[in-house]
Amino acid sequence: MNNLDKLRQIKRATTTFEDAGVVTKETLLKADGHSLPLLIQPKYRGVNLVSWIKENRKEFDNDLIKHGGLLLRGFNIKNLEDFGLFVNSFQSKPLKYMFRSSPRHELNEQVKNVYNSTIYPKKESINLHNESSYARNWGAKIVFCCLLPAEHGGETPIADSRKILMDISPQLVSKFHEKGVLYRRRLIDTIGMSWKEVFQTADKKVVETVCNQNKIKHNFVNERHLTIEWNKKAIYKHPVSQEETWFNHIYFFNKYSRYAELGMDPKEHFSSDLIHSDTLFGDGTEISYQEYVEIKNAYDKNTLSFPYEKGDILFLDNMLTAHGRNPYKGNRLIATAILDPIADY
């Protein structure tokens, strides 16, 4: 390939998708052909994002499915109230953050169902996952708004879940198709999250009712210790595109992720008290370390990230795109909303 051909290739990779109208669209491509996310920016000052969404909703939805995620930048989103107006413009009942896997709180009681992003030590990474994919109900979409970018780091890495699935061997995919996944959690006050935080109640009877409704086996070992386990599919079809996608918490909840978090060698044995979650095949057989590594490598291969700018909105199709968090320095404030409830009881 000569230099002119290379120049033409680069130009194609950054081509503007919309030359008419009030916004521009361009893909943030990697060399291997990723088109995630699609960057949408206003051509002129004063473009109202909410109005543009309403007038172009079908196009917006099509772009979201095609790319898996949209980065809306430069639309003068200054504060939580601006983000709340954007979220409400979709006229979707937001999904409350129940059956929790990490602590969160609403940033302002006047802006309902908009949360801070996960509270987790700055120095630690959060592994990629699809929000609440372990639960019986989840949001079809998840939205992040950067109200204050970190001094350094703090990106939201993302990966196309369709591509993750394609990079897992057919043999392992077949096992998960056949068996599904079994989730296990030990909710103990002294390690991880308490059952009161996870279920947002101090009433054991309420917990038992929720578990029964969600087909979750549960056992109160004592007042401070609840064990739960349940089965789900590991691979789903997207309700609109009908594409198969890797939609689960297998990597995130697996015990070997906990080993990595603690800096432990996977061959070492340490107390089960340090393992507060695990994932297995649906029949209860273990996911081997080699199978775990294969899944991890599929995530790593497809992960990309970009630095936030203040006012950025990252809009993801939750079933098509996984997300995580990079370590960071300084203060950081990312608001989060979960939209369009889906359930599979």
Side-chain angles (χ1 to χ4, degrees), residues 129-189:
H129 59 283
N130 302 82
E131 193 66 33
S132 297
S133 60
Y134 57 86
R136 297 297 184 199
N137 50 18
W138 62 90
K141 303 174 180 70
I142 183 167
V143 193
F144 302 93
C145 180
C146 178
L147 299 174
L148 179 66
E151 178 185 324
H152 177 76
E155 302 90 353
T156 297
I158 52 180
D160 190 320
S161 298
R162 296 164 289 191
K163 291 182 180 292
I164 292 170
L165 178 61
M166 291 172 60
D167 284 315
I168 298 173
S169 68
Q171 294 82 5
L172 186 52
V173 169
S174 179
K175 285 180 71 173
F176 280 114
H177 262 305
E178 178 187 350
K179 299 181 178 183
V181 55
L182 175 67
Y183 295 100
R184 284 180 179 166
R185 295 181 68 182
R186 301 171 71 240
L187 307 176
I188 308 174
D189 290 359

Side-chain angles (χ1 to χ4, degrees), residues 1-15 29:
M1 183 183 296
N2 60 38
N3 289 336
L4 181 59
D5 288 336
K6 290 180 180 178
L7 183 61
R8 287 172 177 162
Q9 187 180 62
I10 292 171
K11 187 175 181 180
R12 284 196 299 270
T14 59
T15 186
L29 292 179

Side-chain angles (χ1 to χ4, degrees), residues 5 9 23 34 145 168 189 198 223 250 268 289:
D5 288 336
Q9 187 180 62
V23 303
H34 285 282
C145 180
I168 298 173
D189 290 359
V198 168
E223 289 297 321
I250 291 170
E268 293 183 63
Y289 180 64

Side-chain angles (χ1 to χ4, degrees), residues 63 84 108 226 247:
D63 284 340
N108 187 320
L226 169 67
F247 184 70

Side-chain angles (χ1 to χ4, degrees), residues 179-294:
K179 299 181 178 183
V181 55
L182 175 67
Y183 295 100
R184 284 180 179 166
R185 295 181 68 182
R186 301 171 71 240
L187 307 176
I188 308 174
D189 290 359
T190 53
I191 61 168
M193 298 176 66
S194 70
W195 60 265
K196 295 177 183 179
E197 172 68 18
V198 168
F199 288 93
Q200 292 289 285
T201 181
D203 189 333
K204 292 169 66 175
K205 291 184 178 180
V206 171
V207 172
E208 291 170 352
T209 297
V210 170
C211 286
N212 290 333
Q213 290 174 342
N214 287 272
K215 300 178 183 177
I216 297 171
K217 296 178 182 178
H218 54 283
N219 176 39
F220 278 99
V221 178
N222 55 51
E223 289 297 321
R224 301 177 63 186
H225 182 179
L226 169 67
T227 62
I228 54 177
E229 70 174 42
W230 65 103
N231 290 83
K232 281 201 70 177
K233 294 190 296 185
I235 299 162
Y236 280 75
K237 281 190 176 181
H238 189 276
V240 177
S241 71
Q242 294 299 302
E243 297 168 284
E244 283 199 333
T245 183
W246 182 252
F247 184 70
N248 55 65
H249 261 57
I250 291 170
Y251 172 55
F252 189 89
F253 276 162
N254 190 269
K255 66 180 180 181
Y256 291 118
S257 288
R258 179 64 170 161
Y259 275 57
E261 180 184 354
L262 296 172
M264 304 289 288
D265 189 302
K267 296 179 181 179
E268 293 183 63
H269 175 76
F270 57 97
S271 173
S272 60
D273 288 343
L274 297 175
I275 303 297
H276 46 74
S277 69
D278 198 7
T279 53
L280 304 93
F281 290 105
D283 61 1
T285 56
E286 287 201 2
I287 297 170
S288 70
Y289 180 64
Q290 291 74 22
E291 289 167 327
Y292 165 82
V293 169
E294 182 179 335

